[in-house]
Amino acid sequence: MSTLIRFNLTNQSNTLQDFFFFQEPAVYIGGSNVYSNSIQNISLAPYSSSSSTYTFMINMQFYAGAQQSNTPPVVGQQSGYLSAIRPVDLTPATTSDAQNNSTTLSLSPFGLSVPVADTTAQAGSFRIVSPVFNPSLNNINAGSAVQLGDGSVVLSNFTTVLPNQNLDCQPILKYYIQTGSYQAGTVMNFTSSSLTAAFCDATGGETTFDVAYNIDGTWTVTPS
């Protein structure tokens, strides 16, 4: 059974607040600029008047994701529409032992193939192999996706795919919570949003984060 990362969020301010969750962008080899999406958003009443806690869960299974888009990514807009998602394994340090770490993108029909072993992928990453296509006619995003606790899958961070290339993606298990109303799947500015956000680092094996948004605008994060 897959492990879940759990975030328990409370609003300790005096007013209703909107919050959104996002992940640190993966390390990419191949592709072009890297973009981030919100992976969840919620409105939360003050704890003092509601006693409410919002629990958000992410499956630690790694997913490769690809998505068609009519335009290049724009902050504040949905990143795309038709999506394809595949669970994948990461390439181990001994790359000759790789299994199910590479998937191939197809455009017609749009999708990602059943993963296979690719011993040439970077350690710690999975690979998306792109086909030959005309990038002026097809805008394709691809990268790291996450499965939420309710089973839905969201493209977390991505790059614009270049034709006939290998895209290696090394996901990073670091997550952030910020005030704001970016809906899941909406492109957001990682650099500016992360500066004053709650930081939840799951790279050390922690799977539960109790997060409080304080009345003075700061955060208290308690991992376990």
Side-chain angles (χ1 to χ4, degrees), residues 121-211:
Q122 294 289 317
S125 73
F126 61 82
R127 173 166 288 179
I128 299 174
V129 181
S130 66
V132 175
F133 67 94
N134 185 342
S136 64
L137 300 177
N138 297 274
N139 195 83
I140 308 297
N141 304 322
S144 178
V146 294
Q147 185 185 50
L148 309 186
D150 63 3
S152 62
V153 181
V154 178
L155 191 62
S156 173
N157 53 85
F158 59 93
T159 184
T160 301
V161 174
L162 301 177
N164 197 30
Q165 289 201 2
N166 295 327
L167 175 65
D168 285 1
C169 172
Q170 183 177 346
I172 299 174
L173 298 178
K174 296 179 180 180
Y175 302 91
Y176 300 79
I177 306 170
Q178 182 60 282
T179 56
S181 54
Y182 285 108
Q183 294 184 352
T186 299
V187 182
M188 37 75 63
N189 187 312
F190 172 80
T191 300
S192 61
S193 294
S194 61
L195 287 176
T196 58
F199 175 51
C200 304
D201 186 354
T203 58
E206 293 83 357
T207 57
T208 300
F209 297 88
D210 294 327
V211 181

